[in-house]
Amino acid sequence: RLMLSVPVTNTSARDGEEVVQVYLRKDNDTKGPRLALRGFQRQLIPAGQTVTVQIPMDEFNFRTYNEATGKMQTTPGSYTIYYGSSSRLEDLQEMTIICK
């Protein structure tokens, strides 16, 4: 199990909410989706404060369709996790992990 911890800062003078979104893509998967939403967390952030949003990621989050078996499965390989405030690539940060 992986716990994704994302620091989020509210730079305004008013309390606000942010929705941290987590997307996944299996690298070199030419038939799968560009990005697949795998988690999100709505968080209240007091004015001028930084909070850490934690989103759990387990084996289920890494499943993709396996044409050979006709099932959703986690297969070995490189995956890129994208996280941020929207699905626009410009708004996302990324990290790569290897599943064995």
Side-chain angles (χ1 to χ4, degrees), residues 8 16 21 32 36 39 46-47 49 56 77 82 87 93 98 100:
V8 182
Q21 302 168 37
Q49 300 291 312
Y82 299 88
S87 62
Q93 296 186 47
I98 306 295
K100 295 183 179 187

Side-chain angles (χ1 to χ4, degrees), residues 3-99:
M3 183 65 71
L4 184 62
S5 297
V6 180
V8 182
T9 302
N10 179 350
T11 59
S12 76
R14 299 175 74 160
D15 293 349
E17 288 187 342
E18 181 64 80
V19 178
V20 177
Q21 302 168 37
V22 179
Y23 296 89
L24 185 78
R25 171 142 180 87
K26 183 169 185 190
D27 299 340
N28 301 318
D29 181 358
T30 59
K31 295 181 180 181
R34 179 180 70 92
L35 296 175
L37 181 64
R38 294 298 193 220
F40 63 92
Q41 178 71 41
R42 180 179 297 274
Q43 180 70 49
L44 174 65
I45 306 170
Q49 300 291 312
T50 298
V51 299
T52 300
V53 177
Q54 295 191 341
I55 301 174
M57 302 283 292
D58 58 24
E59 183 270 335
F60 181 80
N61 295 104
F62 293 88
R63 290 183 181 176
T64 57
Y65 183 72
N66 184 333
E67 286 189 29
T69 64
K71 297 179 181 179
M72 296 293 287
Q73 295 178 304
T74 299
T75 56
S78 175
Y79 293 78
T80 301
I81 298 173
Y82 299 88
Y83 56 95
S85 60
S86 82
S87 62
R88 292 175 5 130
L89 288 178
E90 305 83 47
D91 296 334
L92 297 171
Q93 296 186 47
E94 64 183 73
M95 63 184 290
T96 301
I97 65 167
I98 306 295
C99 291

